[in-house]
Amino acid sequence: MLHELLLALLGYTGDLIIDEREHQNSAATPLSGDAPISEECSFKLAPDISFIEPSERDLLEKIITLGFYYREIDRFASKARNLSWIRSANASPLERAAELSKSKTERPSVYRRAIANGIVEILSVYRSAVLLIEQKLLSETMPILATVTQGLNKFFVLFPPLYELVLEIERDDIRGGQLLNLLHKRCHCGMPELQACIQRLLWHGHQVMYNQLASWMVYGILQDQHGEFFIRRQEDRDTEHCSSHSDVSEKLARLSTDYTSVTDWHLGFHIFLDMLPEYIHMRIAESILFAGKAVRVLRNPSSAFRFQDQLITRSSQKIQGVTGRFSIQKEPLLDMKLIGEELLPQSDADKIEAMLQGLKEPSEFHKRSFECAVDSIRAIAASHLWQLVVVRANLNGHLKALKDYFLLEKGDFFQCFLEESRQLMRLPPRQSTAEADLMVPFQLAAIKTISEEDKYFSRVSLRMPSFGITVKSPHVDLLKAKAYADGTSGAALSSGNSDISLDGWDGIALEYSVDWPLQLFFTQEVLSKYCKVFQYLLRLKRTQMELEKSWASVMHQDHTYFAKHRNDRINYSKSQQRRQTCRPMWRVREHMAFLIRNLQFYIQVDVIETQWNILQAHIQESHDFTELVGFHQEYLSALISQSFLDLGSVSRILDGIMKLCIQFCWAIENQESSENTPELEHITEEFNKKSNSLYTILRSTRLAGSQRAPFLRRFLLRLNFNSFFEMTARGVLNVVRQRPAITVLNQQ
């Protein structure tokens, strides 16, 4: 009887101790290893045993439950450790197909296998205890059941929770980070033996996670055959069963082009929240994701960059003392030591691996130590990525180029371009040839103003997006499409709540070509923001130029007419009368020019130059790539916000004022008689309304608490330095009366 009991404790039933699940089968065959775990204890004493007392029966049934728990836990461990899903090299096609279909149902898990290894350790301790009990029973002359219960006492505490654990894992198909999360929750209990047991299982699971972290953060390889890691490739949602060997073999192919490398950085990998353990903070997961992507970039530079780096290395002695325009360098831009080293030195890779190895050794998971190690690894990766992008790729030179061309720092070039294209822009753009038509004045302006030493101009190209597309979202790629409605541009550079019909040529855009690794910094979204500001500034500069050219053109006509008829008294008096009639119009033109000049000066000096100096200070202080990206995003956001491009009420008024200025200039230049007087009166009246509405908004108390309030006040100070707007705005908007012909805002 005792030998039957000892065999039952190891999961082997017989005639005295039976398994009800097996007896339910007609053939009474043992259960297969693939059978699911039983949810109820099926080990029972045979019902026909009559020589056992009821008290002994109750004790025996309590003891044999350990045998049931042992068998079910052991079956779970055997299934989890089964490696039959690994296909052999010489397997036949039919066998491979069978294995593939079987693996789809079983879904192998390296985390379960690791947990199973820990379970095997616990079961080995249990088997040793059973063997020791057998030795004691054989040595005693009168063996008793108390020897069995005394030897297995602690397993009455361990096995039921372990059985519930494996039952939940198999029933709910828990794997990966979810399994770690479950074990971490089970660790919090009041029984030291059970807590130590679960912690040991969690330690085994963490070994797999640390191995995946080492592969990702040291080599940039995502080693996740079964989709259990919380870092996942974007396309792995549909293909979860790709092997680590395929990841290694395809790694070079994926990074063979600059486009794929940039795609991997921005869209290639993401955090899979379902597999992220709850005790790992989202910030830490993002640091892990960033570190791995940075290592992938550093270990796989583009072929063009490697070739350029070799050329620079050969000629480094010639340029060693030249710092160029990179203002933050305290040392030469490219020195021999920096060029000779790898983008990720082996010493730092070894340091990262040592940090992760140090996390694997403790028997308990220490959250603070884990977070400190991840932060340190992220800092190393960010520092080397900063060195690559800022120093080797000369980020500051490209930032300066974007400022020169997208923010109109090279004013002489754009002044020349607008002058050369002025007559062209007087006509509506032709859909088929608009871009080609602009290339001629663009190239002429470049020949006249751009020197051969400017190596960045070749990266700038002019684009005239296609017509007939309405765009309202500010996140649309403006380099590829631009909103047009009714033959004119239809997207306001504001919050996108409404469209304003602008001049057809306002769709002019610039493209900037960036090489690896600068695509990591200058994303399409970033370049789109630059293009927004460029289009706004170009429209503003064009408006200013039209106001100046219209004055010069009409004054030239007036002087020519006066010189021709100065001896003719009749025509001379007409000339004097014409001058007297046009004088109010020129005062209106001066008011328009005053507003446009101050707006342009405010944006170029108070906004762009101020924010540029702030960005340069941040670049000089920071040596972290992610911090640099954040500073640059703040820089762009400040440009858009402080220029009021995202403030619909102000942006709409300014766009309307610029449109009225263009119409006024064209009407003045084409004025041959009094036929245009009603049109000029209407334009003047609309300008008065909009300018005073602008003043009302700028001084509105409703915006006093807004973040833009200081910048609105600064712009208002430039416009209202002599209280002119304040005096003229008192009655213009609120008093309804018939205006006299050409109402003049006489500024003192």
Side-chain angles (χ1 to χ4, degrees), residues 44-62:
K44 302 292 183 181
L45 287 175
D48 55 351
I49 298 178
S50 59
F51 57 87
I52 299 178
E53 297 294 330
S55 60
E56 292 180 343
R57 176 180 288 272
D58 293 340
L59 181 59
L60 285 172
E61 288 188 348
K62 178 183 178 182

Side-chain angles (χ1 to χ4, degrees), residues 411-625:
D412 55 343
F413 168 73
F414 288 102
Q415 181 71 23
C416 184
F417 166 68
L418 290 175
E419 290 178 355
E420 295 288 344
S421 60
R422 183 167 181 254
Q423 296 302 321
L424 175 64
M425 291 186 183
R426 288 296 184 93
L427 303 174
R430 293 178 293 183
Q431 182 173 357
S432 58
T433 62
E435 185 173 312
D437 293 340
L438 283 176
M439 289 307 298
V440 175
F442 189 78
Q443 294 296 334
L444 286 175
I447 294 173
K448 293 180 179 180
T449 61
I450 303 298
S451 65
E452 296 180 357
E453 297 177 357
D454 190 347
K455 60 182 180 180
Y456 298 103
F457 178 73
S458 60
R459 297 178 178 272
V460 180
S461 57
L462 188 67
R463 291 289 178 265
M464 189 68 183
S466 57
F467 294 80
I469 303 175
T470 302
V471 177
K472 295 185 179 181
S473 172
H475 300 292
V476 176
D477 185 2
L478 294 178
L479 299 177
K480 301 299 181 184
K482 176 70 180 175
Y484 280 90
D486 299 329
T488 59
S489 172
L493 294 177
S494 60
S495 59
N497 295 329
S498 62
D499 293 342
I500 296 178
S501 179
L502 301 174
D503 187 275
W505 294 102
D506 292 335
I508 298 174
L510 288 183
E511 282 187 356
Y512 190 80
S513 174
V514 292
D515 298 329
W516 188 95
L518 290 173
Q519 297 102 327
L520 308 180
F521 192 87
F522 297 114
T523 63
Q524 285 299 320
E525 182 182 2
V526 167
L527 294 178
S528 296
K529 291 181 179 179
Y530 272 108
C531 193
K532 278 185 178 183
V533 181
F534 164 76
Q535 290 176 318
Y536 185 73
L537 292 177
L538 188 66
R539 185 160 68 250
L540 185 61
K541 190 171 186 64
R542 182 186 172 201
T543 304
Q544 182 203 18
M545 186 197 70
E546 287 293 338
L547 289 170
E548 294 174 352
K549 291 291 184 180
S550 63
W551 168 263
S553 176
V554 176
M555 286 297 100
H556 177 73
Q557 294 177 6
D558 183 72
H559 293 163
T560 303
Y561 184 86
F562 175 78
K564 182 178 180 181
H565 301 286
R566 61 182 177 180
N567 296 326
D568 189 344
R569 293 183 177 180
I570 298 177
N571 290 327
Y572 178 78
S573 61
K574 290 182 179 180
S575 177
Q576 290 294 100
Q577 184 180 2
R578 179 182 178 183
R579 285 186 176 184
Q580 191 68 24
T581 304
C582 293
R583 188 169 298 170
M585 300 179 188
W586 295 127
R587 283 197 288 266
V588 173
R589 189 211 67 87
E590 179 56 31
H591 300 324
M592 291 179 173
F594 170 78
L595 194 153
I596 295 299
R597 279 197 308 268
N598 279 278
L599 175 61
Q600 190 176 32
F601 192 84
Y602 163 77
I603 294 178
Q604 290 289 350
V605 177
D606 293 344
V607 178
I608 295 178
E609 285 300 324
T610 302
Q611 294 302 320
W612 172 259
N613 293 332
I614 294 174
L615 177 64
Q616 290 297 299
H618 284 318
I619 293 176
Q620 192 170 7
E621 295 172 357
S622 173
H623 285 74
D624 188 299
F625 178 78

Side-chain angles (χ1 to χ4, degrees), residues 31 74 129 145 190 225 233 236 248 301 318 321 328 331 351 361 397 428 567 575 613 619 628 635 653 686:
L31 294 173
D74 184 61
L145 285 177
Q225 302 95 322
R233 190 183 289 276
D236 284 350
V248 175
K318 298 180 180 180
I328 70 169
E331 299 178 357
K351 186 186 300 183
E361 296 176 357
N567 296 326
S575 177
N613 293 332
I619 293 176
L628 199 60
Y635 166 73
I653 291 177
E686 289 298 318

Side-chain angles (χ1 to χ4, degrees), residues 9 48 77 95 119 258 313 315 355 396 449 491 539 542 546 579 588-589 593 621 626 631 674 713:
L9 288 174
D48 55 351
E95 292 175 348
I119 290 176
D258 297 349
T313 303
S315 59
M355 291 181 186
N396 214 47
T449 61
R539 185 160 68 250
R542 182 186 172 201
E546 287 293 338
R579 285 186 176 184
V588 173
R589 189 211 67 87
E621 295 172 357
T626 51
F631 292 143
S674 60
R713 298 295 183 265

Side-chain angles (χ1 to χ4, degrees), residues 584 586-598 687-688 716-728 743-748:
W586 295 127
R587 283 197 288 266
V588 173
R589 189 211 67 87
E590 179 56 31
H591 300 324
M592 291 179 173
F594 170 78
L595 194 153
I596 295 299
R597 279 197 308 268
N598 279 278
F687 172 74
N688 289 338
L716 177 62
L717 180 62
R718 290 195 176 276
L719 295 178
N720 195 41
F721 69 94
N722 60 355
S723 301
F724 164 72
F725 271 95
E726 184 178 359
M727 290 186 297
T728 56
T743 303
V744 179
L745 299 176
N746 188 17
Q747 180 177 0
Q748 301 299 326

Side-chain angles (χ1 to χ4, degrees), residues 676-696:
N676 290 341
T677 301
E679 180 183 358
L680 292 173
E681 291 179 358
H682 175 72
I683 293 175
T684 301
E685 184 176 2
E686 289 298 318
F687 172 74
N688 289 338
K689 288 182 179 180
K690 289 186 179 297
S691 60
N692 286 282
S693 297
L694 177 63
Y695 170 75
T696 303

